[in-house]
Amino acid sequence: MPANETAPSVKKKGRRARLIVLVLVLALLTGFGYGTYWGLDTVRASFPQATGSLQVPGLTSAVEVKRDAHGIPQLYADKDEDLFRAQGFVHAQDRFWEMDVRRHLTSGRLSEMFGSGQVETDAFLRTLGWRQVAQAEYDTKLSPETKKNLQAYADGVNAYLKGKSGKDLSVEHAALKLSADYQPEQWTPVDSVAWLKAMAWDLRGNMQDEIDRALMANKLTPAQIDELYPPYPFDRNRPIVEGGKIDGGKYAPQGGSAAAGPGTGKGSTTGTGTANGSPASTTPTGLADDATAQGATVGLRTSLTSLAKTLDQIPAILGPNGSGIGSNSWVVSGKYTTTGKPLLANDPHLSPQLPSVWYQMGLHCRAVSAQCQYDVAGYTFSGMPGVVIGHNADIAWGMTNLGADVTDLYLEQVKPEGYVYDNKVVPFTTREEEIKIAGEKKSKKITVRTTNNGPLISDRSEELAAVGSRAPVASSAPDRGNGYAVALRWTALDPGKSMDAVFKLDRAKDFAGFREAARDFEVPSQNLIYADNKGPLGNIGYQAPGRIPVRGAGDGRMPAPGWDSKYAWKGGKDGNAGYIPQDEMPYDYNPGRGYIVTANQAVTETGTGQGKYPYLLTADWGYGARSQRINDLIEAKIKDSGKISTDDMRTMQMDNSSEIAALLTPMLAKIEVSDPDVRSAQKLLEGWNYTQEPDSAAAAYFNAVWRNILKLSFGDKMPKELRVEGSCMNVRGESTGPVDDLAKTVRECGARGSDSAQPDGGDRWFEVVRRLVKDEKSAWWQTPAARNQPATTTRDELFARAMKDARWELTAKLGKDQATWSWGRLHQLTLKNQTIGTEGPGFLQWLLNRGPWNLGGGEATVNATGWNASGGYGVTWVPSMRMVVNLNDLDKSRWINLTGASGHAYHDNYTDQTTLWAKGELLDWPFGKEAVDKATVETLTLKPGS
């Protein structure tokens, strides 16, 4: 049966489950190996108290927690410490399971909760050393005020934990206590700081592209790889910032000077240098024509598969590793809005989770003063104080991933006594790590070895440990010895001040304060957009912050030889990095066009010519399909009516138009088709407007055709390391004897997870195909005969075959009757509870997970409900929240979350926003005291206590 679009199962089924939980609970415990009876009180025991009063040790005065009908809290306090202590308490009330899992993830201690199955993941994360870096940040980098806020937050969490365990915390903790007698420990400030490392990991830029290009070199030529990674189309898709320059050591927007737009302070970095604005031609190594580099990377390719598999196994808090994380944000000047002040929209595209990664909240000082500085509301991370995205009384801000290249893989020559660097052997920096395992007396001990290029991640893989042991290397490469190792250089492994930036953003009053906060937002590198309500029309702006390396040789597109100092990041001795000075990072302020769009496109055009930016930010931008669509929608609306409303902004967020469909559908419609069933499907495309609504049969068929075009033209030509796991094909085997053996074939199966396999169908593939369709006889269109299908030699022959394959694929999935087809039936979202809802017993997954929902939208559309074309049609990326901020009247701003405020299964606020989110609806977002009071349905008073 087709899934319910509006998913009535979420509320109706949830209420029914509450009534029958007494009957089902015995089966639940059997899944954990116990026969103890579990009653309804176990499910409800952890629901938070939301009315009356509670004592919280450490408070100096009462804090009010006002919740609306969706359980979204607004906190009111008289001191900063009280505000953040209460925030920690309330986060723990609603989301402590999520917080507890996350801190075990970031510290490499999942095995303590879930047993031996997580040991390899823990070992990899211990090797990266997130926890050690977070501790160093707390000890040496963060301001005293930030530390005070972090400690207050931790005290609030611990006040909630006091005297609680098992079912008092969550259903999941109850299950874990029964299975492993697990007891949560106290929360610490470093637990909060470490969350930023997980955020940075999932937003780390082009590391996956770097691996994929190296693996492609096993099977594809350098020219073919270049075709699959085309340059950014600056002639068609606008960058975020146009025409700025660096003047006197400071960035100056177009038409301005170095002083244009507020901003003070000296850059804290020492690195300088320039970089070519377009990627260098991909040689077999991707690193110029240097023999040493060539020998290094040729030796590396044969074993990168192991690293790719390891990355697939690391729990991605924000999203799978394969697709580039996307997001939309844009801001429109009051000159072009119906309100007369700016409107700002943001919808970060992340992995769907239950509960959502975001938690909506307001943090209000009853009277803003030196001792109580905050009046801010927006989206928070459970486990971390402050508001990450949102607005205060003066400004609003949003974020999208800048996508800067902040990671490099280095091949290292290792010896028993150390590693080679500039013809000298340098001792490793080492540390011992002990991984404790739930249910086992014996721990696992590992040694982490670190070079000046970073930790040896190959130590966590037997295959990577022998990197280069079989592959040929150039004579100029160092002797292989016991094999090459692989190190990771990553900006997030250097302590920074991003936690300071969060509090500075929350307090900022103007563009100068906003830019000052952005200076500290070092990792992950984000596009920050801005709006304020100053003056007659307000102001809009943009800042590109982040710690972005300046490289020596190489451009970061392929792994580099770690033994050669000329490939190190510039700026310091012994491999210590230099970064682009913050004063020279691009920004914009009140541009003449009247709006700013960021959607993971190029920040600015780089290079050495007039109006080009001299530093290389990355060679792997998103390709601008979403950003240019938003530009076009804004310009069309301004041209049509001259003004844009809050509802117009919401409508733009739900735009489902497919750029690749607009390009290919006219070509598909002209192909002569003899099979009547395929011809019938082809007719669905006639008159289609290229929008991907959930009830659209045309969208279903086109996306199936697109998926099959990609498979036939590119997927089947990929090395097995990039093809989706389980996809098998016959390939010619290697000869070990007479020439005749070359004709023999072997069965070769893909090895990549479904969320990260290639081709994934994103806007890079839009650009690849756009460039190829003009060449009707390109080698990419040539395929061998298979499954009673003739070989193809031209574009139209391959398209015809893809149309036929798509017809029979949808027949198998949706039935022969096209009248029953719809995109939403293929393109479904299921929300999975963190960890247990994904990997726990099937019955427990049934209790904790929700869905499916039939969705519209798609990959690289503004309504970016992403899917991986190699893995299937299921939703892997979503707008994790949506907001539209009205700077003229903040109480008329609007917001929505993917799930709900509560992390407790069967609570009314577990997924109460999801159906609204799926329809593109937004909730009222009260901010002022009067508006908050009007929306309040429950008030809890937190009082000082012992």
Side-chain angles (χ1 to χ4, degrees):
M1 293 180 61
N4 296 304
E5 276 187 30
T6 55
S9 59
V10 175
K11 283 204 169 184
K12 294 180 181 178
K13 193 175 181 180
R15 291 170 180 156
R16 183 168 68 250
R18 292 191 208 108
L19 297 175
I20 64 173
V21 70
L22 290 170
V23 180
L24 300 177
V25 79
L26 182 61
L28 170 64
L29 287 186
T30 301
F32 277 88
Y34 288 80
T36 308
Y37 192 80
W38 214 9
L40 180 61
D41 68 303
T42 303
V43 176
R44 300 185 62 87
S46 59
F47 286 9
Q49 180 177 333
T51 60
S53 64
L54 288 171
Q55 289 189 337
V56 175
L59 287 178
T60 62
S61 61
V63 178
E64 291 177 298
V65 182
K66 298 174 178 287
R67 293 180 184 263
D68 66 11
H70 293 278
I72 300 170
Q74 305 275 349
L75 278 54
Y76 289 85
D78 295 321
K79 288 186 177 181
D80 289 345
E81 298 97 307
D82 289 344
L83 195 60
F84 294 117
R85 187 172 281 107
Q87 185 182 20
F89 187 92
V90 173
H91 272 166
Q93 277 189 308
D94 283 331
R95 298 284 192 92
F96 185 69
W97 171 255
E98 175 191 10
M99 294 164 60
D100 203 14
V101 170
R102 182 177 296 154
R103 69 164 160 180
H104 279 78
L105 168 66
T106 57
S107 58
R109 295 172 54 205
L110 287 171
S111 300
E112 294 179 22
M113 297 183 79
F114 305 113
S116 59
Q118 299 296 327
V119 168
E120 290 186 11
T121 295
D122 284 344
F124 186 81
L125 294 171
R126 296 284 186 100
T127 299
L128 294 180
W130 291 353
R131 178 75 184 193
Q132 283 80 6
V133 179
Q135 185 70 59
E137 288 184 357
Y138 184 79
D139 292 341
T140 66
K141 292 291 185 178
L142 299 181
S143 70
E145 184 174 12
T146 293
K147 288 184 179 182
K148 184 170 63 176
N149 293 342
L150 286 164
Q151 186 61 60
Y153 181 90
D155 291 343
V157 176
N158 294 328
Y160 177 75
L161 292 179
K162 187 176 182 180
K164 293 184 176 66
S165 66
K167 69 178 184 180
D168 298 323
L169 294 173
S170 70
V171 169
E172 298 94 332
H173 278 107
L176 204 60
K177 186 168 181 61
L178 285 173
S179 65
D181 196 26
Y182 172 79
Q183 178 65 33
E185 61 193 33
Q186 294 282 287
W187 194 266
T188 72
V190 180
D191 291 332
S192 297
V193 178
W195 159 238
L196 288 171
K197 299 303 158 189
M199 180 181 174
W201 176 252
D202 288 342
L203 300 172
R204 62 191 180 274
N206 76 335
M207 181 175 170
Q208 193 71 54
D209 289 322
E210 188 175 339
I211 293 170
D212 288 353
R213 279 189 289 261
L215 291 172
M216 285 179 186
N218 289 330
K219 194 170 182 178
L220 303 178
T221 68
Q224 287 174 319
I225 295 173
D226 277 346
E227 285 188 294
L228 301 185
Y229 288 88
Y232 186 88
F234 286 101
D235 60 332
R236 193 175 66 256
N237 295 341
R238 287 184 190 166
I240 299 170
V241 177
E242 297 176 278
K245 63 180 180 179
I246 294 175
D247 183 7
K250 291 188 176 182
Y251 186 85
Q254 186 177 41
S257 65
T264 59
K266 294 182 179 180
S268 58
T269 58
T270 59
T272 60
T274 62
N276 194 341
S278 59
S281 177
T282 308
T283 69
T285 67
L287 296 166
D289 290 318
D290 183 270
T292 299
Q294 182 175 355
T297 31
V298 169
L300 179 62
R301 289 177 196 137
T302 57
S303 298
L304 278 175
T305 305
S306 180
L307 176 57
K309 287 182 178 179
T310 301
L311 297 179
D312 273 345
Q313 293 168 1
I314 302 302
I317 290 181
L318 302 182
N321 291 312
S323 303
I325 287 184
S327 296
N328 302 325
S329 68
W330 65 93
V331 60
V332 182
S333 165
K335 178 180 179 181
Y336 295 118
T337 66
T338 58
T339 65
K341 290 289 176 72
L343 294 173
L344 184 150
N346 194 192
D347 54 286
H349 307 154
L350 305 172
S351 174
Q353 297 178 14
L354 181 59
S356 165
V357 70
W358 299 109
Y359 184 97
Q360 296 148 290
M361 179 178 271
L363 301 173
H364 306 279
C365 291
R366 293 189 180 96
V368 176
S369 65
Q371 68 175 4
C372 199
Q373 306 171 76
Y374 297 87
D375 187 17
V376 60
Y379 294 87
T380 71
F381 289 137
S382 302
M384 199 177 94
V387 170
V388 179
I389 294 174
H391 70 81
N392 58 33
D394 300 289
I395 76 166
W397 67 94
M399 298 184 190
T400 62
N401 194 25
L402 191 148
D405 186 355
V406 295
T407 60
D408 279 339
L409 296 175
Y410 284 90
L411 192 61
E412 305 283 1
Q413 187 204 13
V414 299
K415 293 181 177 294
E417 65 273 25
Y419 61 98
V420 176
Y421 192 71
D422 281 348
N423 298 314
K424 296 179 181 179
V425 177
V426 182
F428 291 109
T429 301
T430 63
R431 70 175 188 274
E432 303 296 319
E433 294 279 353
E434 182 179 3
I435 300 172
K436 297 178 181 180
I437 306 168
E440 297 186 14
K441 293 182 179 179
K442 190 175 181 180
S443 301
K444 179 179 177 64
K445 295 182 179 180
I446 64 171
T447 299
V448 177
R449 301 187 294 172
T450 301
T451 75
N452 57 5
N453 290 315
L456 293 185
I457 56 177
S458 55
D459 281 354
R460 304 285 74 86
S461 160
E462 292 182 6
E463 188 175 359
L464 273 174
V467 121
S469 62
R470 297 181 304 276
V473 293
S475 59
S476 58
D479 179 70
R480 192 178 276 113
N482 293 325
Y484 297 129
V486 182
L488 172 65
R489 189 76 175 92
W490 179 31
T491 56
L493 298 185
D494 295 333
K497 299 186 291 182
S498 293
M499 197 68 238
D500 283 347
V502 172
F503 295 113
K504 286 184 178 180
L505 276 173
D506 288 355
R507 299 192 305 265
K509 302 295 184 183
D510 52 27
F511 195 54
F514 167 79
R515 292 191 68 205
E516 186 62 30
R519 300 181 72 87
D520 290 338
F521 211 110
E522 298 167 325
V523 176
S525 184
Q526 298 288 285
N527 294 308
L528 296 177
I529 62 165
Y530 167 92
D532 67 37
N533 51 22
K534 312 296 183 185
L537 296 174
N539 300 288
I540 64 174
Y542 163 81
Q543 177 68 58
R547 184 188 288 160
I548 301 174
V550 178
R551 291 174 174 81
D555 59 9
R557 299 183 78 228
M558 284 280 193
W563 52 78
D564 190 339
S565 62
K566 71 182 181 182
Y567 289 93
W569 293 357
K570 286 186 175 181
K573 63 181 180 179
D574 299 326
N576 293 324
Y579 304 108
I580 300 173
Q582 287 297 301
D583 283 339
E584 298 184 18
M585 290 289 285
Y587 77 93
D588 214 346
Y589 188 64
N590 290 331
R593 64 184 176 276
Y595 63 89
I596 301 170
V597 175
T598 85
N600 314 116
Q601 79 272 41
V603 170
T604 189
E605 189 167 4
T606 56
T608 57
Q610 180 68 29
K612 292 186 178 181
Y613 188 64
Y615 294 102
L616 177 66
L617 300 175
T618 185
D620 290 303
W621 301 113
Y623 280 77
R626 281 181 291 109
S627 61
Q628 193 56 43
R629 176 63 177 172
I630 297 167
N631 275 307
D632 292 344
L633 289 170
I634 292 172
E635 291 186 353
K637 189 66 181 177
I638 291 173
K639 184 177 181 180
D640 178 52
S641 65
K643 301 291 182 180
I644 294 173
S645 68
T646 301
D647 197 56
D648 291 331
M649 301 283 275
R650 181 197 67 82
T651 301
M652 292 177 194
Q653 288 178 326
M654 294 303 294
D655 183 79
N656 287 328
S657 178
S658 169
E659 177 186 308
I660 195 64
L663 174 68
L664 296 185
T665 298
M667 300 179 192
L668 297 172
K670 294 177 181 178
I671 294 175
E672 293 187 9
V673 175
S674 57
D675 185 316
D677 289 315
V678 179
R679 174 59 184 150
S680 177
Q682 184 186 37
K683 283 183 174 293
L684 292 172
L685 303 178
E686 295 179 3
W688 180 44
N689 63 356
Y690 318 129
T691 60
Q692 301 168 98
E693 298 298 328
D695 61 355
S696 171
Y701 182 59
F702 173 80
N703 283 316
V705 174
W706 171 237
R707 167 173 149 84
N708 280 277
I709 287 173
L710 291 172
K711 177 181 181 298
L712 292 169
S713 53
F714 308 106
D716 289 349
K717 299 178 179 70
M718 290 283 173
K720 64 182 180 180
E721 294 88 353
L722 271 67
R723 296 204 314 271
V724 70
E725 190 173 12
S727 64
C728 300
M729 58 190 297
N730 293 324
V731 297
R732 181 169 293 182
E734 295 182 3
S735 175
T736 57
V739 175
D740 288 346
D741 284 352
L742 290 173
K744 292 183 178 180
T745 60
V746 295
R747 194 71 169 158
E748 183 185 83
C749 296
R752 186 63 67 84
S754 61
D755 288 340
S756 57
Q758 293 293 337
D760 62 23
D763 68 352
R764 173 165 67 88
W765 294 100
F766 289 13
E767 192 64 22
V768 169
V769 171
R770 179 188 296 278
R771 289 168 175 264
L772 287 175
V773 289
K774 299 174 184 177
D775 182 0
E776 297 187 26
K777 296 184 179 180
S778 166
W780 293 107
W781 309 131
Q782 298 170 17
T783 64
R787 300 189 306 274
N788 299 319
Q789 298 246 42
T792 67
T793 60
T794 67
R795 180 197 69 193
D796 285 355
E797 287 176 355
L798 184 139
F799 282 10
R801 181 167 163 183
M803 291 169 70
K804 182 177 181 179
D805 288 352
R807 175 44 160 127
W808 299 117
E809 181 185 3
L810 294 197
T811 297
K813 291 180 180 295
L814 303 179
K816 189 173 182 178
D817 184 1
Q818 293 173 189
T820 67
W821 290 4
S822 71
W823 175 226
R825 285 182 61 199
L826 282 177
H827 191 53
Q828 293 185 328
L829 168 67
T830 298
L831 294 172
K832 294 185 177 182
N833 181 274
Q834 191 164 273
T835 306
I836 289 182
T838 302
E839 299 179 358
F843 182 76
L844 191 54
Q845 292 189 40
W846 183 86
L847 282 176
L848 299 178
N849 297 345
R850 296 293 182 268
W853 283 263
N854 293 352
L855 298 185
E859 189 69 36
T861 64
V862 181
N863 182 24
T865 56
W867 55 287
N868 185 302
S870 289
Y873 303 97
V875 175
T876 58
W877 297 97
V878 293
S880 56
M881 62 79 158
R882 298 186 185 99
M883 74 176 194
V884 178
V885 182
N886 181 337
L887 273 299
N888 183 59
D889 185 346
L890 292 170
D891 289 330
K892 292 183 179 178
S893 300
R894 308 274 287 166
W895 63 353
I896 198 75
N897 204 352
L898 173 63
T899 61
S902 180
H904 299 287
Y906 303 108
H907 192 280
D908 285 342
N909 301 131
Y910 191 46
T911 53
D912 61 320
Q913 297 186 51
T914 309
T915 296
L916 298 172
W917 169 92
K919 294 178 178 178
E921 297 180 16
L922 300 174
L923 300 174
D924 291 335
W925 182 354
F927 178 72
K929 182 71 162 53
E930 183 177 345
V932 169
D933 287 345
K934 185 177 180 181
T936 297
V937 297
E938 294 178 310
T939 300
L940 173 68
T941 302
L942 303 179
K943 297 181 176 180
S946 57

